[in-house]
Coordinates of all heavy atoms in Angstrom, one line a residue:
L36 N 12.5 4.9 2.3 CA 12.3 3.8 3.3 C 13.1 2.6 2.7 O 13.0 2.2 1.6 CB 10.8 3.5 3.3 CG 9.9 4.7 3.6 CD1 8.5 4.1 3.7 CD2 10.3 5.5 4.8
S37 N 13.9 2.0 3.6 CA 14.6 0.8 3.2 C 14.9 -0.1 4.4 O 14.8 0.3 5.6 CB 16.0 1.2 2.6 OG 16.6 2.0 3.5
R38 N 15.1 -1.3 4.2 CA 15.5 -2.3 5.2 C 16.9 -2.2 5.7 O 17.3 -2.6 6.8 CB 15.3 -3.8 4.7 CG 13.8 -4.1 4.4 CD 13.7 -5.6 4.1 NE 12.4 -5.9 3.6 CZ 11.3 -6.2 4.5 NH1 11.6 -6.2 5.8 NH2 10.1 -6.5 4.0
R39 N 17.8 -1.6 4.8 CA 19.1 -1.3 5.2 C 19.5 0.1 4.7 O 18.9 0.5 3.8 CB 20.1 -2.4 4.6 CG 20.0 -2.5 3.0 CD 20.9 -3.6 2.5 NE 20.9 -3.7 1.1 CZ 20.0 -4.4 0.4 NH1 18.9 -5.0 1.1 NH2 20.0 -4.4 -0.9
R51 N 15.0 6.4 6.1 CA 14.4 5.8 7.2 C 14.6 4.3 7.0 O 14.0 3.7 6.2 CB 13.0 6.1 7.3 CG 12.6 7.5 7.7 CD 12.8 7.8 9.1 NE 12.4 9.0 9.5 CZ 11.1 9.3 10.0 NH1 10.2 8.3 10.1 NH2 10.7 10.5 10.4
V52 N 15.4 3.7 7.9 CA 15.6 2.1 7.9 C 14.4 1.7 8.7 O 14.3 2.0 9.9 CB 17.0 1.8 8.5 CG1 17.1 0.2 8.5 CG2 18.0 2.4 7.7
V53 N 13.5 0.8 8.1 CA 12.3 0.4 8.7 C 12.1 -1.1 8.7 O 12.7 -1.8 7.9 CB 11.1 1.1 8.0 CG1 11.2 2.6 8.2 CG2 11.0 0.7 6.6
R54 N 11.2 -1.5 9.5 CA 10.8 -2.9 9.4 C 9.3 -2.8 8.6 O 8.4 -2.3 9.3 CB 10.5 -3.5 10.8 CG 11.8 -3.7 11.5 CD 11.6 -4.0 13.0 NE 11.1 -2.7 13.7 CZ 10.8 -2.7 15.0 NH1 10.9 -3.7 15.7 NH2 10.3 -1.5 15.4
F55 N 9.3 -3.2 7.4 CA 8.1 -3.1 6.7 C 6.9 -3.7 7.2 O 5.8 -3.3 7.0 CB 8.4 -3.5 5.2 CG 9.1 -2.5 4.3 CD1 10.5 -2.5 4.2 CD2 8.4 -1.4 3.7 CE1 11.1 -1.5 3.5 CE2 9.1 -0.5 3.0 CZ 10.5 -0.6 2.8
E56 N 7.2 -4.8 8.0 CA 6.0 -5.4 8.6 C 5.4 -4.6 9.7 O 4.2 -4.9 10.1 CB 6.5 -6.8 9.2 CG 7.0 -7.8 8.1 CD 8.4 -7.5 7.7 OE1 9.1 -6.6 8.4 OE2 8.9 -8.0 6.7
Q57 N 6.0 -3.6 10.2 CA 5.5 -2.7 11.2 C 5.5 -1.3 10.7 O 5.8 -0.4 11.5 CB 6.3 -2.9 12.5 CG 6.4 -4.3 13.0 CD 7.2 -4.4 14.3 OE1 7.2 -3.5 15.1 NE2 7.9 -5.6 14.5
L58 N 5.3 -1.1 9.5 CA 5.4 0.2 8.9 C 4.5 1.3 9.4 O 4.9 2.4 9.6 CB 5.1 0.1 7.3 CG 5.7 1.2 6.5 CD1 7.2 1.3 6.6 CD2 5.3 0.9 4.9
A59 N 3.3 1.0 9.8 CA 2.5 2.0 10.4 C 3.0 2.6 11.6 O 3.0 3.8 11.9 CB 1.1 1.4 10.7
A60 N 3.6 1.7 12.5 CA 4.1 2.2 13.8 C 5.5 3.0 13.5 O 5.7 4.0 14.1 CB 4.4 1.0 14.7
E61 N 6.3 2.5 12.5 CA 7.5 3.1 12.2 C 7.3 4.5 11.7 O 8.2 5.4 11.9 CB 8.3 2.3 11.2 CG 8.6 0.8 11.6 CD 10.0 0.7 12.2 OE1 10.7 1.7 12.3 OE2 10.3 -0.4 12.5
L62 N 6.3 4.7 10.9 CA 6.2 6.0 10.3 C 5.0 6.9 10.9 O 4.5 7.9 10.3 CB 5.8 5.9 8.8 CG 6.9 5.2 8.0 CD1 6.5 5.1 6.6 CD2 8.3 5.8 8.2
L94 N 2.3 -6.1 1.0 CA 3.2 -5.1 1.5 C 3.0 -3.6 0.8 O 3.0 -2.7 1.4 CB 4.7 -5.5 1.2 CG 5.8 -4.7 1.9 CD1 5.5 -4.6 3.4 CD2 7.1 -5.2 1.6
S97 N -0.1 -2.2 2.3 CA 0.3 -1.7 3.5 C 0.9 -0.4 3.5 O 0.6 0.6 4.2 CB 1.3 -2.7 4.3 OG 1.6 -2.1 5.6
V101 N -0.4 3.4 4.8 CA 0.5 4.3 5.6 C 0.6 5.6 5.0 O 0.6 6.7 5.6 CB 1.8 3.7 5.9 CG1 2.7 4.6 6.5 CG2 1.6 2.4 6.8

Side-chain angles (χ1 to χ4, degrees):
L36 312 181
S37 59
R38 294 185 185 275
R39 57 184 182 276
R51 291 284 189 92
V52 178
V53 299
R54 293 165 293 179
F55 280 94
E56 296 76 13
Q57 302 179 35
L58 201 54
E61 298 265 3
L62 299 182
L94 192 57
S97 175
V101 168

